[in-house]
Coordinates of all heavy atoms in Angstrom, one line a residue:
M1255 N -13.1 47.5 62.5 CA -11.8 46.9 62.2 C -11.1 47.7 61.1 O -9.9 48.1 61.3 CB -12.0 45.4 61.8 CG -10.7 44.7 61.6 SD -9.7 44.7 63.1 CE -8.1 44.2 62.5
R1256 N -11.8 48.0 60.1 CA -11.2 48.8 59.0 C -10.8 50.1 59.5 O -9.7 50.7 59.1 CB -12.2 48.9 57.9 CG -11.6 49.0 56.5 CD -12.6 49.3 55.5 NE -13.1 48.0 54.9 CZ -14.2 48.0 54.1 NH1 -14.9 49.1 53.8 NH2 -14.6 46.9 53.7
Y1257 N -11.6 50.7 60.4 CA -11.4 52.0 61.0 C -10.1 52.0 61.8 O -9.2 52.9 61.6 CB -12.6 52.3 61.9 CG -12.5 53.6 62.5 CD1 -12.5 54.8 61.7 CD2 -12.5 53.8 63.9 CE1 -12.5 56.0 62.3 CE2 -12.5 55.0 64.5 CZ -12.5 56.2 63.7 OH -12.4 57.4 64.3
L1258 N -9.9 50.9 62.5 CA -8.6 50.8 63.3 C -7.4 50.7 62.4 O -6.4 51.3 62.7 CB -8.7 49.5 64.2 CG -9.5 49.7 65.5 CD1 -9.6 48.4 66.3 CD2 -9.0 50.8 66.3
I1259 N -7.5 49.9 61.3 CA -6.4 49.8 60.4 C -6.1 51.2 59.9 O -4.9 51.7 59.8 CB -6.7 48.9 59.3 CG1 -6.8 47.4 59.8 CG2 -5.6 49.0 58.2 CD1 -7.2 46.4 58.8
F1260 N -7.1 52.0 59.6 CA -6.9 53.3 59.0 C -6.2 54.2 60.0 O -5.2 54.9 59.7 CB -8.3 53.9 58.7 CG -8.2 55.3 58.2 CD1 -7.7 55.6 56.9 CD2 -8.6 56.4 59.0 CE1 -7.5 56.9 56.5 CE2 -8.4 57.7 58.6 CZ -7.9 57.9 57.3
I1261 N -6.6 54.1 61.3 CA -5.9 55.0 62.3 C -4.5 54.5 62.4 O -3.6 55.4 62.5 CB -6.6 54.8 63.7 CG1 -8.0 55.4 63.6 CG2 -5.8 55.5 64.8 CD1 -8.8 55.4 64.9
G1262 N -4.3 53.2 62.4 CA -2.9 52.7 62.5 C -2.0 53.3 61.3 O -0.9 53.8 61.6
L1263 N -2.6 53.2 60.1 CA -1.8 53.7 59.0 C -1.5 55.2 59.1 O -0.4 55.6 58.8 CB -2.6 53.4 57.7 CG -2.6 51.9 57.2 CD1 -3.4 51.8 56.0 CD2 -1.1 51.5 57.0
T1264 N -2.5 55.9 59.5 CA -2.4 57.4 59.6 C -1.3 57.7 60.6 O -0.4 58.6 60.4 CB -3.7 58.1 60.0 OG1 -4.7 57.5 59.3 CG2 -3.7 59.5 59.7
A1265 N -1.3 57.0 61.7 CA -0.3 57.3 62.8 C 1.1 56.9 62.2 O 2.0 57.7 62.5 CB -0.7 56.4 64.0
A1266 N 1.2 55.8 61.5 CA 2.5 55.4 61.0 C 3.0 56.5 60.0 O 4.2 56.8 60.0 CB 2.4 54.0 60.3
A1267 N 2.1 57.0 59.2 CA 2.5 58.0 58.2 C 3.0 59.2 58.9 O 4.0 59.8 58.5 CB 1.4 58.3 57.2
G1268 N 2.2 59.6 59.9 CA 2.6 60.8 60.7 C 4.0 60.6 61.3 O 4.8 61.6 61.3
L1269 N 4.2 59.5 61.9 CA 5.5 59.2 62.5 C 6.6 59.3 61.5 O 7.7 59.9 61.7 CB 5.5 57.9 63.2 CG 4.9 57.8 64.6 CD1 4.9 56.4 65.1 CD2 5.5 58.8 65.5
A1270 N 6.4 58.7 60.3 CA 7.4 58.7 59.3 C 7.8 60.1 58.9 O 8.9 60.5 58.7 CB 7.0 57.9 58.1
Q1271 N 6.7 60.9 58.8 CA 6.9 62.3 58.4 C 7.7 63.0 59.5 O 8.7 63.8 59.2 CB 5.6 63.0 58.2 CG 5.6 64.1 57.2 CD 4.2 64.6 57.0 OE1 3.3 64.3 57.8 NE2 4.1 65.4 55.9
A1272 N 7.4 62.8 60.8 CA 8.1 63.5 61.8 C 9.6 63.0 61.8 O 10.5 63.9 62.0 CB 7.5 63.1 63.2
A1273 N 9.8 61.8 61.5 CA 11.2 61.3 61.5 C 12.0 62.0 60.3 O 13.1 62.4 60.5 CB 11.2 59.8 61.3
D1274 N 11.3 62.1 59.2 CA 11.9 62.8 58.1 C 12.3 64.3 58.4 O 13.3 64.8 58.1 CB 11.0 62.9 56.9 CG 10.9 61.6 56.2 OD1 11.7 60.7 56.5 OD2 10.1 61.4 55.3
L1275 N 11.4 64.9 59.1 CA 11.6 66.3 59.5 C 12.8 66.4 60.5 O 13.6 67.3 60.3 CB 10.4 66.9 60.2 CG 9.2 67.2 59.2 CD1 8.0 67.8 59.9 CD2 9.7 68.1 58.0
N1276 N 12.9 65.5 61.4 CA 14.0 65.5 62.3 C 15.3 65.3 61.6 O 16.3 65.9 61.9 CB 13.8 64.4 63.4 CG 12.9 64.8 64.5 OD1 12.6 66.0 64.7 ND2 12.3 63.9 65.2
A1277 N 15.3 64.3 60.6 CA 16.5 64.1 59.8 C 16.9 65.3 59.1 O 18.1 65.6 59.0 CB 16.2 62.9 58.9
A1278 N 15.9 66.1 58.6 CA 16.2 67.3 57.8 C 16.8 68.3 58.7 O 17.8 69.0 58.3 CB 14.9 67.8 57.2
V1279 N 16.3 68.5 60.0 CA 16.9 69.4 60.9 C 18.3 69.0 61.2 O 19.2 69.9 61.2 CB 16.1 69.5 62.2 CG1 16.8 70.4 63.2 CG2 14.7 70.0 61.9
D1280 N 18.6 67.7 61.4 CA 20.0 67.3 61.7 C 20.9 67.6 60.5 O 22.0 68.0 60.7 CB 20.0 65.8 62.0 CG 19.4 65.5 63.3 OD1 19.3 66.4 64.1 OD2 19.1 64.3 63.6
L1281 N 20.3 67.4 59.3 CA 21.1 67.6 58.1 C 21.4 69.1 58.0 O 22.5 69.5 57.7 CB 20.3 67.2 56.9 CG 20.9 67.4 55.5 CD1 22.2 66.7 55.4 CD2 20.0 67.0 54.4
A1282 N 20.4 70.0 58.3 CA 20.6 71.4 58.2 C 21.7 71.8 59.3 O 22.6 72.7 59.0 CB 19.3 72.2 58.5
K1283 N 21.6 71.2 60.5 CA 22.7 71.6 61.5 C 24.0 71.1 61.0 O 25.0 71.9 61.1 CB 22.3 70.9 62.8 CG 21.1 71.6 63.5 CD 20.8 70.9 64.8 CE 19.6 71.5 65.5 NZ 18.9 70.6 66.4
A1284 N 24.1 69.9 60.5 CA 25.4 69.4 60.1 C 25.9 70.1 58.9 O 27.1 70.2 58.6 CB 25.2 67.9 59.7
S1285 N 25.1 70.7 58.1 CA 25.5 71.5 56.9 C 25.8 72.9 57.2 O 26.1 73.7 56.2 CB 24.4 71.4 55.8 OG 24.0 70.0 55.6
G1286 N 25.7 73.3 58.4 CA 26.1 74.7 58.8 C 25.0 75.7 58.5 O 25.2 76.9 58.6
C1287 N 23.8 75.3 58.1 CA 22.7 76.3 57.8 C 22.4 77.1 59.0 O 22.1 78.3 58.8 CB 21.5 75.5 57.4 SG 21.8 74.2 56.1
Y1288 N 22.4 76.5 60.2 CA 22.1 77.3 61.4 C 23.1 78.3 61.8 O 22.9 79.0 62.8 CB 21.7 76.4 62.5 CG 20.2 75.8 62.4 CD1 20.0 74.6 61.9 CD2 19.2 76.7 62.7 CE1 18.7 74.1 61.8 CE2 17.9 76.2 62.5 CZ 17.6 75.0 62.1 OH 16.3 74.5 61.9
S1289 N 24.3 78.3 61.2 CA 25.2 79.4 61.5 C 24.8 80.7 60.9 O 25.2 81.8 61.4 CB 26.7 79.0 61.1 OG 26.7 78.8 59.7
C1290 N 23.9 80.7 59.9 CA 23.4 81.9 59.3 C 21.9 82.1 59.4 O 21.3 83.1 59.2 CB 23.8 82.0 57.9 SG 25.5 82.3 57.6
H1291 N 21.2 81.0 59.7 CA 19.7 81.0 59.7 C 19.2 80.5 61.1 O 19.9 79.7 61.7 CB 19.1 80.1 58.7 CG 19.4 80.5 57.3 ND1 18.6 81.4 56.6 CD2 20.3 80.1 56.4 CE1 19.0 81.5 55.3 NE2 20.0 80.7 55.2
A1292 N 18.0 81.0 61.4 CA 17.3 80.4 62.6 C 15.9 80.2 62.1 O 15.5 80.6 61.0 CB 17.3 81.4 63.8
N1293 N 15.1 79.4 62.8 CA 13.7 79.1 62.4 C 12.8 80.3 62.3 O 12.1 80.5 61.4 CB 13.1 78.0 63.3 CG 13.6 76.6 63.0 OD1 14.4 76.5 62.0 ND2 13.2 75.7 63.8
A1294 N 12.9 81.1 63.4 CA 11.9 82.2 63.6 C 12.4 83.6 63.4 O 11.6 84.5 63.3 CB 11.2 82.0 64.9
E1295 N 13.7 83.8 63.5 CA 14.2 85.2 63.3 C 15.4 85.3 62.3 O 16.1 84.3 62.0 CB 14.6 85.8 64.6 CG 15.7 85.2 65.4 CD 15.2 84.2 66.4 OE1 14.0 84.1 66.7 OE2 16.1 83.4 66.8
K1296 N 15.5 86.5 61.8 CA 16.6 86.7 60.9 C 17.9 86.7 61.6 O 18.0 87.2 62.7 CB 16.4 88.1 60.3 CG 17.4 88.6 59.3 CD 17.0 89.9 58.7 CE 17.9 90.3 57.5 NZ 19.3 90.8 57.9
V1297 N 18.9 86.0 61.1 CA 20.3 86.1 61.6 C 21.1 86.8 60.6 O 20.9 88.0 60.3 CB 20.8 84.7 62.0 CG1 22.1 84.7 62.7 CG2 19.8 84.0 62.9
V1298 N 22.0 86.0 59.9 CA 22.6 86.6 58.7 C 21.7 86.5 57.5 O 21.4 87.4 56.8 CB 24.0 85.9 58.4 CG1 24.6 86.5 57.1 CG2 24.9 86.0 59.6
G1299 N 21.0 85.3 57.4 CA 20.0 85.1 56.4 C 18.6 85.2 57.0 O 18.5 85.2 58.2
P1300 N 17.6 85.2 56.1 CA 16.3 85.3 56.6 C 15.8 84.0 57.4 O 16.4 83.0 57.3 CB 15.5 85.3 55.3 CG 16.4 84.7 54.2 CD 17.8 85.0 54.7
A1301 N 14.8 84.2 58.3 CA 14.3 83.1 59.1 C 13.7 82.0 58.1 O 13.1 82.4 57.1 CB 13.2 83.6 60.0
F1302 N 14.0 80.8 58.5 CA 13.4 79.7 57.6 C 11.9 79.8 57.5 O 11.3 79.6 56.5 CB 13.8 78.3 58.2 CG 15.3 78.0 57.9 CD1 16.1 77.5 58.9 CD2 15.8 78.2 56.6 CE1 17.4 77.1 58.6 CE2 17.1 77.8 56.4 CZ 17.9 77.3 57.4
S1303 N 11.2 80.3 58.6 CA 9.8 80.4 58.6 C 9.4 81.5 57.6 O 8.3 81.5 57.0 CB 9.2 80.6 60.0 OG 9.8 81.8 60.6
A1304 N 10.2 82.6 57.5 CA 9.9 83.7 56.6 C 10.0 83.2 55.2 O 9.3 83.6 54.3 CB 10.8 84.9 56.9
I1305 N 11.0 82.3 54.9 CA 11.2 81.8 53.6 C 10.0 80.9 53.2 O 9.4 81.0 52.1 CB 12.5 80.9 53.5 CG1 13.7 81.8 53.8 CG2 12.7 80.3 52.1 CD1 15.1 81.1 53.9
A1306 N 9.6 80.1 54.2 CA 8.4 79.2 53.9 C 7.2 80.1 53.6 O 6.4 79.8 52.7 CB 8.1 78.4 55.2
D1307 N 7.0 81.2 54.3 CA 5.9 82.0 54.1 C 5.9 82.7 52.7 O 4.9 82.8 52.0 CB 5.8 83.1 55.2 CG 4.5 83.8 55.2 OD1 3.5 83.2 55.3 OD2 4.6 85.1 55.1
K1308 N 7.1 83.2 52.4 CA 7.2 83.9 51.1 C 6.9 83.1 49.9 O 6.3 83.5 49.0 CB 8.7 84.5 51.0 CG 8.9 85.2 49.7 CD 10.3 85.8 49.7 CE 10.6 86.5 48.3 NZ 11.9 87.1 48.2
Y1309 N 7.3 81.8 50.0 CA 7.1 80.9 48.8 C 5.9 80.0 48.9 O 5.8 79.0 48.2 CB 8.4 80.1 48.6 CG 9.5 81.0 48.2 CD1 10.6 81.2 49.1 CD2 9.6 81.7 47.0 CE1 11.6 82.1 48.8 CE2 10.7 82.5 46.6 CZ 11.7 82.7 47.5 OH 12.7 83.5 47.2
K1310 N 5.0 80.2 49.9 CA 4.0 79.2 50.2 C 3.0 79.0 49.0 O 2.5 77.9 48.9 CB 3.2 79.5 51.5 CG 2.4 80.8 51.5 CD 1.7 80.9 52.9 CE 0.7 82.1 52.9 NZ 1.4 83.4 52.8
D1311 N 2.8 80.0 48.2 CA 1.9 79.8 47.1 C 2.6 79.5 45.8 O 2.0 79.4 44.7 CB 1.1 81.1 46.9 CG 0.2 81.3 48.1 OD1 -0.3 80.3 48.7 OD2 0.0 82.5 48.5
E1312 N 3.9 79.3 45.8 CA 4.6 79.0 44.6 C 4.8 77.5 44.4 O 5.3 76.8 45.2 CB 6.0 79.6 44.6 CG 6.0 80.9 43.8 CD 7.4 81.6 43.9 OE1 8.4 80.9 43.6 OE2 7.4 82.7 44.3
K1313 N 4.3 77.0 43.2 CA 4.3 75.6 43.0 C 5.7 75.0 42.9 O 5.9 73.9 43.4 CB 3.5 75.4 41.6 CG 2.9 74.1 41.4 CD 1.8 74.0 40.4 CE 2.3 74.6 39.0 NZ 3.2 73.8 38.2
D1314 N 6.6 75.7 42.3 CA 7.9 75.1 42.1 C 8.9 75.6 43.1 O 10.1 75.6 42.9 CB 8.5 75.4 40.7 CG 7.5 74.9 39.6 OD1 7.0 73.8 39.8 OD2 7.3 75.5 38.6
A1315 N 8.4 76.0 44.3 CA 9.3 76.6 45.3 C 10.4 75.7 45.7 O 11.6 76.1 45.8 CB 8.5 77.0 46.5
A1316 N 10.1 74.4 45.9 CA 11.2 73.5 46.4 C 12.3 73.4 45.4 O 13.5 73.5 45.8 CB 10.6 72.1 46.7
A1317 N 12.0 73.3 44.1 CA 13.1 73.2 43.1 C 13.9 74.5 43.1 O 15.1 74.5 43.0 CB 12.5 72.9 41.8
S1318 N 13.2 75.7 43.2 CA 14.0 76.9 43.1 C 14.8 77.2 44.3 O 15.9 77.7 44.3 CB 13.0 78.1 42.7 OG 12.7 78.8 43.8
L1319 N 14.3 76.7 45.5 CA 15.1 76.9 46.7 C 16.3 76.0 46.7 O 17.4 76.3 47.1 CB 14.3 76.6 48.0 CG 13.2 77.6 48.3 CD1 12.6 77.4 49.6 CD2 13.7 79.1 48.2
A1320 N 16.1 74.8 46.1 CA 17.2 73.8 46.0 C 18.4 74.5 45.2 O 19.5 74.4 45.5 CB 16.8 72.5 45.4
Q1321 N 17.9 75.2 44.1 CA 18.9 75.9 43.2 C 19.6 77.0 44.1 O 20.9 77.1 44.0 CB 18.2 76.6 42.1 CG 17.7 75.6 41.0 CD 18.8 75.1 40.2 OE1 19.7 75.9 39.7 NE2 18.9 73.8 40.0
S1322 N 18.9 77.7 44.8 CA 19.4 78.8 45.6 C 20.5 78.3 46.6 O 21.5 78.8 46.8 CB 18.4 79.6 46.4 OG 17.5 80.3 45.6
I1323 N 20.1 77.1 47.3 CA 21.0 76.6 48.3 C 22.3 76.1 47.6 O 23.4 76.3 48.0 CB 20.3 75.4 49.1 CG1 19.1 75.9 49.8 CG2 21.3 74.8 50.0 CD1 18.1 74.8 50.3
Q1324 N 22.1 75.4 46.5 CA 23.3 74.8 45.8 C 24.2 75.9 45.2 O 25.4 75.9 45.4 CB 22.8 73.9 44.6 CG 24.0 73.3 43.9 CD 23.5 72.2 42.9 OE1 22.5 72.3 42.3 NE2 24.3 71.2 42.8
N1325 N 23.6 76.9 44.5 CA 24.4 77.9 43.8 C 24.6 79.2 44.5 O 25.3 80.0 44.0 CB 23.7 78.2 42.4 CG 23.5 76.9 41.6 OD1 24.3 76.0 41.6 ND2 22.4 76.9 40.9
G1326 N 24.0 79.3 45.7 CA 24.0 80.6 46.4 C 22.9 81.5 45.9 O 22.2 81.2 44.9
S1327 N 22.7 82.6 46.6 CA 21.6 83.4 46.3 C 22.0 84.8 46.7 O 22.6 85.1 47.7 CB 20.4 82.9 47.1 OG 19.3 83.9 47.0
K1328 N 21.6 85.8 45.9 CA 21.8 87.2 46.3 C 20.7 88.1 45.8 O 20.1 87.8 44.8 CB 23.1 87.7 45.9 CG 23.3 87.7 44.4 CD 24.7 88.3 44.1 CE 24.8 88.3 42.6 NZ 26.2 88.4 42.1
G1329 N 20.4 89.1 46.6 CA 19.4 90.1 46.2 C 18.0 89.8 46.4 O 17.1 90.6 46.1
K1330 N 17.7 88.6 46.9 CA 16.2 88.3 47.1 C 15.7 88.7 48.4 O 14.6 89.0 48.6 CB 16.0 86.8 46.9 CG 16.2 86.3 45.5 CD 15.9 84.8 45.4 CE 16.2 84.3 44.0 NZ 16.3 82.8 44.0
W1331 N 16.6 88.8 49.4 CA 16.2 89.2 50.8 C 16.9 90.4 51.3 O 16.5 90.9 52.3 CB 16.5 88.0 51.7 CG 15.7 86.8 51.4 CD1 15.9 85.8 50.5 CD2 14.4 86.5 52.0 NE1 14.9 84.9 50.5 CE2 14.0 85.3 51.4 CE3 13.6 87.1 53.0 CZ2 12.7 84.7 51.7 CZ3 12.4 86.5 53.3 CH2 12.0 85.3 52.7
G1332 N 18.0 90.8 50.7 CA 18.7 92.0 51.2 C 20.0 92.0 50.5 O 20.2 91.4 49.4
R1333 N 21.0 92.7 51.2 CA 22.3 92.9 50.5 C 23.3 91.8 50.7 O 24.3 91.7 50.1 CB 22.8 94.3 50.9 CG 22.1 95.4 50.1 CD 22.8 96.7 50.5 NE 22.7 96.9 51.9 CZ 23.7 97.5 52.6 NH1 24.8 97.9 52.0 NH2 23.6 97.7 53.9
I1334 N 23.0 91.0 51.8 CA 24.0 89.9 52.1 C 23.7 88.7 51.2 O 22.6 88.2 51.2 CB 23.9 89.5 53.6 CG1 24.0 90.8 54.5 CG2 25.0 88.5 53.9 CD1 23.7 90.5 55.9
P1335 N 24.7 88.2 50.5 CA 24.4 87.0 49.7 C 24.6 85.7 50.5 O 25.3 85.7 51.5 CB 25.5 87.1 48.6 CG 26.6 87.9 49.2 CD 26.0 88.8 50.3
M1336 N 24.0 84.6 50.0 CA 24.3 83.3 50.6 C 25.3 82.6 49.7 O 25.1 82.6 48.5 CB 23.0 82.5 50.6 CG 23.3 81.0 51.0 SD 21.9 80.1 51.6 CE 20.9 79.9 50.1
P1337 N 26.3 82.1 50.3 CA 27.3 81.4 49.5 C 26.8 80.1 48.9 O 25.8 79.6 49.4 CB 28.5 81.1 50.5 CG 27.8 81.2 51.8 CD 26.7 82.1 51.7
A1338 N 27.4 79.6 47.9 CA 27.0 78.3 47.3 C 27.3 77.2 48.2 O 28.2 77.3 49.0 CB 27.7 78.1 45.9
H1339 N 26.6 76.1 48.0 CA 26.9 74.8 48.8 C 27.1 73.7 47.8 O 26.2 72.8 47.7 CB 25.7 74.5 49.7 CG 25.6 75.5 50.8 ND1 24.8 76.7 50.7 CD2 26.1 75.6 52.1 CE1 24.8 77.4 51.8 NE2 25.6 76.8 52.7
P1340 N 28.3 73.7 47.1 CA 28.5 72.7 46.0 C 28.6 71.3 46.5 O 28.5 70.4 45.7 CB 29.7 73.3 45.4 CG 30.4 74.1 46.4 CD 29.4 74.6 47.3
S1341 N 28.9 71.1 47.8 CA 29.1 69.7 48.2 C 27.9 68.9 48.6 O 27.9 67.7 48.9 CB 30.2 69.7 49.3 OG 29.7 70.4 50.4
L1342 N 26.7 69.6 48.6 CA 25.5 68.9 49.0 C 25.0 68.0 47.9 O 25.0 68.4 46.7 CB 24.4 69.9 49.4 CG 24.6 70.7 50.7 CD1 23.5 71.8 50.8 CD2 24.5 69.7 51.9
S1343 N 24.6 66.8 48.2 CA 24.1 65.9 47.1 C 22.7 66.4 46.7 O 22.0 67.1 47.4 CB 24.0 64.5 47.7 OG 23.0 64.4 48.7
A1344 N 22.3 65.8 45.5 CA 20.9 66.2 45.0 C 19.9 65.8 46.0 O 18.9 66.5 46.3 CB 20.7 65.5 43.7
A1345 N 20.1 64.6 46.7 CA 19.1 64.1 47.7 C 19.0 65.1 48.9 O 18.0 65.4 49.4 CB 19.4 62.7 48.1
D1346 N 20.2 65.5 49.3 CA 20.2 66.4 50.5 C 19.6 67.8 50.1 O 18.9 68.4 50.9 CB 21.7 66.7 50.9 CG 22.2 65.5 51.7 OD1 21.4 64.5 52.0 OD2 23.4 65.5 52.1
L1347 N 19.9 68.3 48.9 CA 19.3 69.5 48.5 C 17.7 69.4 48.5 O 17.0 70.3 48.9 CB 19.8 69.9 47.1 CG 21.2 70.4 47.0 CD1 21.7 70.4 45.6 CD2 21.3 71.8 47.7
K1348 N 17.3 68.3 48.0 CA 15.8 68.1 48.0 C 15.2 68.0 49.4 O 14.2 68.7 49.6 CB 15.6 66.7 47.2 CG 14.2 66.6 46.6 CD 14.2 65.4 45.7 CE 12.7 65.1 45.4 NZ 12.6 63.8 44.7
T1349 N 15.9 67.3 50.3 CA 15.4 67.2 51.7 C 15.4 68.6 52.3 O 14.4 69.0 52.9 CB 16.4 66.3 52.5 OG1 16.4 65.0 51.9 CG2 15.9 66.2 53.9
L1350 N 16.5 69.3 52.1 CA 16.6 70.7 52.8 C 15.6 71.6 52.2 O 14.9 72.3 53.0 CB 18.0 71.2 52.6 CG 19.1 70.5 53.4 CD1 20.5 71.0 53.0 CD2 18.9 70.8 54.9
S1351 N 15.4 71.7 50.9 CA 14.5 72.7 50.3 C 13.1 72.3 50.7 O 12.3 73.2 51.0 CB 14.7 72.8 48.8 OG 14.5 71.5 48.2
A1352 N 12.7 71.0 50.7 CA 11.3 70.7 51.1 C 11.1 71.0 52.5 O 10.0 71.5 52.9 CB 11.1 69.2 50.8
W1353 N 12.1 70.7 53.4 CA 11.9 71.0 54.8 C 11.8 72.5 55.1 O 10.9 72.9 55.9 CB 13.1 70.4 55.5 CG 13.3 70.9 56.9 CD1 12.5 70.6 58.0 CD2 14.3 71.9 57.3 NE1 13.0 71.4 59.1 CE2 14.0 72.2 58.7 CE3 15.3 72.6 56.7 CZ2 14.8 73.1 59.4 CZ3 16.0 73.5 57.4 CH2 15.8 73.7 58.8
V1354 N 12.6 73.3 54.5 CA 12.6 74.8 54.7 C 11.1 75.3 54.5 O 10.6 76.0 55.3 CB 13.5 75.6 53.8 CG1 13.2 77.1 53.9 CG2 15.0 75.3 54.2
L1355 N 10.5 74.7 53.5 CA 9.1 75.2 53.2 C 8.1 74.7 54.3 O 7.0 75.2 54.3 CB 8.7 74.6 51.9 CG 9.4 75.3 50.7 CD1 9.2 74.5 49.4 CD2 8.9 76.8 50.5
T1356 N 8.5 73.9 55.2 CA 7.6 73.4 56.3 C 7.8 74.2 57.6 O 7.1 74.0 58.6 CB 7.7 71.9 56.6 OG1 9.0 71.7 57.2 CG2 7.6 71.1 55.3
V1357 N 8.9 75.0 57.7 CA 9.3 75.6 59.0 C 8.3 76.6 59.4 O 7.9 77.5 58.6 CB 10.7 76.2 58.9 CG1 11.0 76.8 60.2 CG2 11.7 75.1 58.6
K1358 N 7.8 76.5 60.6 CA 6.8 77.5 61.2 C 7.6 78.3 62.2 O 8.5 77.9 62.8 CB 5.7 76.7 61.9 CG 5.0 75.7 61.1 CD 3.7 76.3 60.5 CE 2.9 75.3 59.8 NZ 3.5 74.8 58.5
P1359 N 7.1 79.6 62.3 CA 7.8 80.5 63.3 C 7.7 80.0 64.7 O 6.8 79.2 65.0 CB 7.1 81.8 63.2 CG 6.0 81.7 62.2 CD 6.0 80.3 61.7
Ligands
HEC256 C1 27.1 82.4 55.3 C2 25.7 82.5 55.7 C3 24.7 81.4 55.2 C4 24.7 80.1 55.3 C5 25.9 79.2 55.8 C6 23.5 79.6 54.7 N1 22.7 80.6 54.3 FE1 20.9 80.5 53.4 N2 20.8 82.5 53.1 C7 21.8 83.4 53.6 C8 21.5 84.7 53.1 C9 22.3 86.0 53.4 C10 20.3 84.6 52.3 C11 19.5 85.7 51.6 C12 20.1 85.7 50.1 C13 19.4 86.6 49.2 O1 19.1 87.8 49.6 O2 19.1 86.2 48.0 C14 19.9 83.2 52.4 C15 18.8 82.6 51.7 C16 18.4 81.3 51.9 C17 17.2 80.8 51.2 C18 16.2 81.5 50.4 C19 16.7 81.5 48.9 C20 15.7 82.1 48.0 O3 15.7 81.8 46.8 O4 14.8 83.0 48.4 C21 17.2 79.4 51.6 C22 16.1 78.4 51.2 C23 18.3 79.2 52.4 N3 19.1 80.3 52.5 C24 18.6 77.9 52.9 C25 19.9 77.6 53.5 C26 20.3 76.3 53.8 C27 19.4 75.0 53.7 C28 21.6 76.3 54.3 C29 22.5 75.2 54.7 C30 22.8 74.3 53.6 C31 21.9 77.7 54.2 N4 20.9 78.5 53.7 C32 23.2 78.2 54.6 C33 22.9 83.0 54.3 C34 23.4 81.8 54.6

């Protein structure tokens, strides 16, 4: 019985996480991120999966990516800069930066 409850809880947590990821993708689409980025290949900006890979061992990656998204970024990936996104809320920045770090090619 305890085992079944455990499976139930794990499944629910997995579903909640999947829902969060879908919400993050929708937010990225609605925020125009996909006009310059794709998951697996470079467009104007680097692939989201390449960003996830580059920062996978950095403890504060999510916070620093949130800064990059909010204030813009230049010189980390090439010569093309990313413009600032001043209208994103703190919560949205947190969602987007945490999600980018999960993108697989
Ligand atoms: C106008 C094109 C453009 C748009 C729109 C854009 N990006 Fe970028 N993004 C870039 C470019 C170019 C870079 C590389 C900047 C550099 O070399 O530092 C980049 C870099 C990044 C990075 C890596 C920053 C770092 O510190 O290494 C993240 C994360 C990112 N973008 C997320 C997003 C998200 C999320 C959105 C939507 C809110 C978005 N981008 C919208 C062009 C864009």
